[in-house]
Amino acid sequence: MMRKWQAAVLGVLSITARPSGPVEAADAEWGCQVLLCAAAVNPSWHGIPYCVPPMVKLITEMAEPHFSWPTCSSAGTKAPGYERYGDCPAGYSVGYSSADSGNHSTSEPDLCVKSNICGSGGHNDGGCGETISQPRPVRGQPYYFDIRQSSGSAQRFWFDLNH
């Protein structure tokens, strides 16, 4: 049985690939194989034997100095997006921590911050100004592709590159 993600990606691939016959995932160019495998949800690409070789090839080539992400022109996709951190809990906003690395400091959006918290303990000094923070959640699947659907809208597929 073909899953929804497979149907969506293969549908896009069939628009420009070999119009004279059906499209098979194994016939796709490498960038399209990566797209098809990255869009796998349940199971992820790790659990699909066909997907392991193209994804391992991708991970290996990413370590090369002049790596260029393989694209899938049939699907109109380019390199994927990347978001290291997940959303903060309700009521929190994104905060930045600073790290000093010798000659310069860096700032990273790795905190969830809630400001103007009223202190506890039964005393009221007339104002609220306390700020609390917590580490921002790190995504297990930080890469994503937005794949256009036949309706014109896009569906986001999150994936990882852990091997």
Side-chain angles (χ1 to χ4, degrees):
M1 174 186 291
M2 186 177 296
R3 289 182 170 74
K4 182 179 175 182
W5 63 269
Q6 290 172 313
V9 175
L10 287 175
V12 170
L13 294 177
S14 67
I15 292 170
T16 59
R18 278 201 260 148
S20 62
V23 175
E24 296 293 328
D27 295 335
E29 61 187 91
W30 180 43
C32 295
Q33 291 174 351
V34 168
L35 177 64
L36 180 64
C37 292
V41 177
N42 192 11
S44 72
W45 69 265
H46 302 277
I48 303 171
Y50 158 81
C51 288
V52 174
M55 296 303 279
V56 168
K57 177 181 177 184
L58 173 70
I59 294 165
T60 302
E61 292 207 8
M62 287 178 76
E64 297 298 320
H66 299 289
F67 170 75
S68 180
W69 196 275
T71 60
C72 182
S73 57
S74 301
T77 60
K78 297 184 178 21
Y82 180 85
E83 291 182 16
R84 180 174 180 192
Y85 297 103
D87 296 331
C88 288
Y92 284 79
S93 59
V94 174
Y96 293 80
S97 68
S98 294
D100 189 7
S101 58
N103 296 335
H104 66 283
S105 63
T106 59
S107 186
E108 189 169 359
D110 59 352
L111 296 175
C112 293
V113 178
K114 188 183 253 187
S115 300
N116 295 324
I117 307 300
C118 296
S120 59
H123 64 291
N124 185 351
D125 60 5
C128 299
E130 184 179 344
T131 299
I132 58 172
S133 65
Q134 64 185 42
R136 192 168 169 199
V138 176
R139 291 185 186 278
Q141 296 181 312
Y143 294 91
Y144 64 88
F145 279 112
D146 289 329
I147 300 175
R148 284 177 308 200
Q149 305 299 302
S150 58
S151 65
S153 64
Q155 184 173 357
R156 183 161 286 181
F157 291 90
W158 292 93
F159 64 100
D160 69 81
L161 292 176
N162 301 324
H163 179 58

